[in-house]
Amino acid sequence: FLSFFQQGQMNFPNLWASGLILMLMVQLTLLFLILILVRFKRRSGYIHLGYFGFGNLGDDLLLICQLRRQKEVQEHTVICSDMSNLPLESKQTDLILRHDLAAILDRFCRYERMFLGPGGILQDKSSRWSLLYYLAFGFLARIMGCSWYWSGQGFSPLKFKSSAWLVLCASWLVSLIEVRDKSSSEYLINLGVNPNKIEITRDLVWDFDLPIRYASTKSLAVVLRSWRGAPLEDWIKELISIGIKRQYFLFEKDVSLEKKIRSLDPKATVFVYRGDWREFLKRFYGCSHILSMRFHGLILGLKSQRECFSLAYDEKCELEQISPKFILKSPHWGTLFPAIRDFVETISRKRP
């Protein structure tokens, strides 16, 4: 080395490049060995990733139902956006924030299974980044040796071919895919997903045990949500003209919609879900009739034998338990009347 250096024959750029390549090879070898050790270590516990901690009643109830049916497992961790308002029944359930990558990777190394869902979260209608986020953590879980399960998923046609391709590729790494309806199963099979991995189980909220039996009075619960193409202002004005008692229920915080309701219909009561599902459902079940844009609003109504009318913004809201004449599909959205006339007359004989 010294003789070459003295003769000026040392090629320092090549020497530096060779050293860098050697260092990278050593690091990759160590990383490979670490991953091998991690993948084959003894594991226990489940980790849950979904639309949790965003203050949505439906997703909170889904998480409660999921943890109830897996109560034989002692260790549970939920990845959430906000820890403050997540209604958990067990203090032993661990919570970590979505942006805490180190804590998430730690659980992937130690836990046996990662559950994606429940809920219709693998979609690209609202955001493609959301789909990529959930799939990316699924791939990470598999790399770290954690089994991957899709729980209680609902699928509607994806907008982009790239999204469909990603879902198909991800399904190769999944141990079991639970879907909540036949249409979701058929869609995945047409996409190329292995049908032997797919199981149809009804939405978990159907099995949600209500703490008490709620009494109701002749009144209308109106469950609305912000949605492109929904003439919410016109609907609210029409409901005012009915002349029956009505209460509005927002299944998640929506400041704009809440202000709109209070300004147009100041005499009506507006309830916004803020994490206390017991109090919220007590108010909700105080109504005898449910007019709902929300999928889980319809399920909760049907569970307690309430009369339900669906403002179906998606196929999932076209429930077979609801008479077709009590379903208004989004392509036909316009005025509520005469579509809901028969439904309203079951509450009051007074015509608008």
Side-chain angles (χ1 to χ4, degrees):
F1 174 83
L2 291 175
S3 63
F4 275 105
F5 181 81
Q6 291 169 352
Q7 297 172 16
Q9 297 179 7
M10 285 298 297
N11 190 330
F12 285 101
N14 287 343
L15 181 64
W16 180 84
S18 300
L20 179 62
I21 292 172
L22 179 62
M23 182 178 67
L24 289 174
M25 289 179 64
V26 171
Q27 289 180 342
L28 288 174
T29 302
L30 290 174
L31 179 61
F32 176 76
L33 292 174
I34 291 170
L35 287 176
I36 292 294
L37 291 173
V38 166
R39 286 183 63 85
F40 292 100
K41 69 181 294 187
R42 188 178 182 87
R43 297 170 175 268
S44 64
Y46 295 169
I47 186 167
H48 305 268
L49 174 62
Y51 196 74
F52 307 134
F54 289 94
N56 183 288
L57 174 65
D59 292 293
D60 284 357
L61 295 182
L62 283 171
L63 177 59
I64 291 171
C65 293
Q66 172 102 309
L67 295 174
R68 283 180 179 178
R69 72 171 180 167
Q70 297 173 351
K71 60 184 179 182
E72 73 281 354
V73 177
Q74 298 297 318
E75 291 183 85
H76 289 277
T77 294
V78 177
I79 303 173
C80 61
S81 66
D82 185 359
M83 299 181 182
S84 59
N85 292 323
L86 201 61
L88 297 176
E89 297 177 314
S90 173
K91 294 182 179 180
Q92 295 180 343
T93 303
D94 193 17
L95 298 176
I96 53 178
L97 294 173
R98 293 162 70 95
H99 56 74
D100 192 348
L101 182 59
I104 293 172
L105 292 178
D106 173 66
R107 301 312 191 280
F108 286 166
C109 291
R110 297 190 289 111
Y111 279 23
E112 179 184 357
R113 299 180 182 182
M114 192 270 260
F115 287 88
L116 185 63
I121 58 177
L122 291 179
Q123 51 82 26
D124 58 1
K125 287 184 179 179
S126 58
S127 169
R128 296 181 72 183
W129 290 111
S130 173
L131 176 70
L132 292 172
Y133 172 86
Y134 290 119
L135 293 181
F137 274 107
F139 286 124
L140 275 176
R142 291 300 297 125
I143 290 172
M144 306 303 287
C146 187
S147 300
W148 190 12
Y149 291 76
W150 293 354
S151 174
Q153 292 290 320
F155 286 91
S156 54
L158 295 161
K159 290 172 59 178
F160 303 98
K161 287 186 178 180
S162 58
S163 300
W165 183 81
L166 281 171
V167 169
L168 174 60
C169 293
S171 72
W172 301 338
L173 303 176
V174 177
S175 301
L176 179 67
I177 301 172
E178 281 187 352
V179 294
R180 63 190 179 196
D181 49 51
K182 188 177 179 181
S183 63
S184 296
S185 173
E186 291 173 348
Y187 176 72
L188 289 178
I189 292 172
N190 291 333
L191 212 60
V193 175
N194 183 356
N196 295 324
K197 288 186 175 183
I198 301 173
E199 287 187 5
I200 300 176
T201 58
R202 65 179 186 172
D203 190 271
L204 295 184
V205 174
W206 283 109
D207 300 320
F208 181 70
D209 293 327
L210 299 171
I212 59 174
R213 188 175 182 85
Y214 298 95
S216 65
T217 58
K218 284 282 185 179
S219 57
L220 179 64
V222 184
V223 184
L224 300 178
R225 63 170 299 171
S226 296
W227 191 260
R228 182 181 298 176
L232 299 177
E233 185 171 332
D234 294 337
W235 288 351
I236 295 168
K237 290 178 180 178
E238 286 185 88
L239 291 172
I240 295 171
S241 70
I242 296 175
I244 61 173
K245 182 181 178 182
R246 62 204 167 276
Q247 300 179 64
Y248 294 89
F249 293 86
L250 304 185
F251 277 32
E252 62 183 341
K253 186 179 179 181
D254 188 333
V255 176
S256 176
L257 180 55
E258 183 182 357
K259 286 182 178 179
K260 181 179 293 186
I261 295 171
R262 293 189 187 278
S263 64
L264 294 172
D265 195 356
K267 293 183 179 180
T269 309
V270 182
F271 295 102
V272 182
Y273 175 68
R274 304 187 188 280
D276 188 352
W277 62 265
R278 290 178 178 82
E279 182 63 27
F280 189 84
L281 290 185
K282 179 182 176 181
R283 302 289 185 179
F284 180 75
Y285 281 126
C287 300
S288 59
H289 291 64
I290 314 293
L291 176 69
S292 178
M293 291 178 69
R294 290 280 186 179
F295 174 60
H296 288 113
L298 297 168
I299 291 179
L300 289 169
L302 293 169
K303 276 176 60 68
S304 290
Q305 292 78 49
R306 302 297 194 265
E307 289 287 341
C308 294
F309 191 101
S310 173
L311 298 171
Y313 71 93
D314 189 89
E315 288 183 3
K316 66 182 180 181
C317 296
E318 300 171 23
L319 295 171
E320 60 182 16
Q321 295 87 348
I322 300 176
S323 169
K325 70 177 183 178
F326 285 171
I327 298 176
L328 183 61
K329 301 179 183 180
S330 59
H332 308 292
W333 276 351
T335 59
L336 289 176
F337 290 94
I340 68 167
R341 186 182 299 275
D342 291 340
F343 176 72
V344 168
E345 287 185 349
T346 63
I347 313 172
S348 170
R349 290 298 173 185
K350 183 177 180 178
R351 290 178 177 269

